[in-house]
């Protein structure tokens, strides 16, 4: 019996190739033809899975959001059990900083595609889904941390989560721009969280 | 006598038109021809001032960095004198958040051009100059605030400045993506600074 084509796997393979082209040569180079060449498939196959350049961009953004979410999940799962909300927050947020070649490439491609959606709003919905889910997750952990007495009682969990997520977004950008190394960005994130969790009286 | 052409003004006019095209229709639409049409000048004139699309992108990035730096300077200058380091920090950082149509457009165009430099590193130097100067300025104000006893003594000024700048970058991105309104982003920034300046003992 012939092997059934795994459509999800094919889409993933093409999206991954598109991310590679975007990260190495820029979004402007990521034409359907270039993506097909990078993926080692025909242009027609790319067109079968993605109707248009816009459809491909949406697909890549969704794929990369999934890749980043998986990094966060792995970071949290690798913690010794039982893990408290504070440890989960450090692990989840740290997992968002590019510290190796793969995370650098994924975050760079995500940033490039996401930025494109800012000026081409018809691409936007896919770009927000991942960040919104993450914000909810972080806010819930901050709420647990506050209930466990690890956070000042006047600290609003949703504010803490929004600030932490914005900080990580900015740190990602600083690492991609070469302003900070990955480890320095992790140290800055840690300094922020330490300050939040252990307010020092003057 | 014929009026001498103000070359700086011409460059500024073209860069501003390019930023408008990028902010309204996306960087992909910002061809030399489209920019010329938007600026109301000939394609040849654009080519006279900017040798190539890359040269134009560099010019736009530098122009927008200057626009943003000017917003920061205006924010600081509008403070009642004498202004302390703490007030200067709030004013400078708040001025970076898009809160009206003009700042939204400038920050959006800057972000789009800056992101392009991430995958096209030959464009990068112009993109970093503005952020590096701002980081130095912020670190100096945090140092002054610490010396004035407004900040915990164990707070490293450069760390505070790097965290604040990364946070603002992330908040800009969140406003552009429609995740936060401008006022909400300002409130989040204020909450972060309040926490830094007034550590609450638990």
């Amino acid at each position: 019996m012939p092997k059934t084509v795994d459509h999800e796997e094919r889409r993933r393979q093409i999206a991954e190739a598109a991310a590679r082209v975007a990260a190495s040569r820029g979004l402007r180079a990521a034409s359907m033809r270039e993506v097909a060449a990078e993926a080692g498939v025909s242009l027609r196959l790319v067109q079968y899975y993605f109707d248009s350049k816009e459809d491909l961009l949406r697909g890549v953004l969704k794929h990369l959001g999934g890749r980043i979410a998986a990094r966060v999940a792995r970071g949290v799962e690798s913690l010794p059990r039982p893990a408290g909300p504070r440890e989960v927050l450090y692990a989840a947020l740290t997992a968002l900083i590019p510290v190796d070649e793969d995370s650098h490439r994924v975050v760079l491609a995500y940033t490039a595609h996401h930025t494109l959606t800012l000026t081409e709003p018809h691409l936007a919905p896919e770009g927000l889904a991942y960040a919104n889910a993450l914000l909810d997750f972080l806010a819930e952990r901050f709420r647990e941390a506050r209930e466990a007495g690890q956070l000042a009682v006047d600290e609003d969990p949703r504010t803490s989560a929004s600030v932490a997520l914005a900080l990580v977004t900015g740190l990602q950008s600083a690492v991609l721009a070469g302003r900070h190394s990955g480890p320095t960005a992790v140290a800055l994130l840690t300094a922020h969280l330490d300050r939040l969790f252990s307010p020092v009286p003057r």
Side-chain angles (χ1 to χ4, degrees), chain A:
Chain A
M1 246 170 66
K3 192 173 172 300
T4 308
V5 177
D6 183 336
H7 290 292
E8 263 316 300
E9 172 59 22
R10 271 287 198 221
R11 282 182 72 91
R12 197 202 58 75
Q13 176 196 353
I14 294 168
E16 189 64 28
R20 277 200 303 276
V21 175
S24 62
R25 282 178 287 147
L27 260 182
R28 289 191 295 174
S31 65
M32 302 282 270
R33 194 173 296 277
E34 286 299 318
V35 169
E38 175 73 25
V41 301
S42 69
L43 176 59
R44 286 184 64 108
L45 194 74
V46 172
Q47 289 166 336
Y48 172 78
Y49 285 105
F50 300 99
D51 282 343
S52 62
K53 182 79 188 284
E54 272 61 37
D55 195 31
L56 176 60
L57 287 168
R58 265 193 298 268
V60 176
L61 199 50
K62 191 175 175 183
H63 169 70
L64 293 172
R67 284 285 305 271
I68 295 174
R71 275 188 74 85
V72 171
R74 276 200 306 278
V76 170
E77 279 156 21
S78 69
L79 287 170
R81 305 296 172 90
R86 180 177 170 159
E87 288 69 36
V88 170
L89 281 166
Y90 275 77
L93 290 163
T94 304
L96 292 162
I97 308 283
V99 288
D100 54 35
E101 207 178 317
D102 182 66
S103 54
H104 198 282
R105 193 171 57 71
V106 169
V107 173
L108 174 53
Y110 182 84
T111 301
H113 284 81
H114 173 67
T115 302
L116 200 67
T117 68
L118 298 178
T119 51
E120 305 190 25
H122 56 286
L123 298 170
E126 304 285 349
L128 287 173
Y130 141 74
N132 288 341
L134 189 57
L135 186 64
D136 290 341
F137 174 82
L138 296 173
E140 188 56 25
R141 299 293 87 70
F142 273 113
R143 196 187 58 71
E144 287 173 6
R146 193 178 67 174
E147 281 185 5
Q150 298 175 330
L151 211 59
V153 288
D154 64 341
E155 191 72 39
D156 173 61
R158 201 143 188 104
T159 297
S160 309
S162 295
V163 167
L165 192 55
L167 174 58
V168 164
T169 305
L171 289 173
Q172 287 176 331
S173 172
V175 171
L176 296 180
R179 198 177 319 127
H180 298 311
S181 69
T184 298
V186 170
L188 290 169
L189 171 65
T190 303
H192 169 73
L193 293 174
D194 286 351
R195 176 69 60 209
L196 208 59
F197 278 104
S198 310
V200 178
R202 279 178 299 163

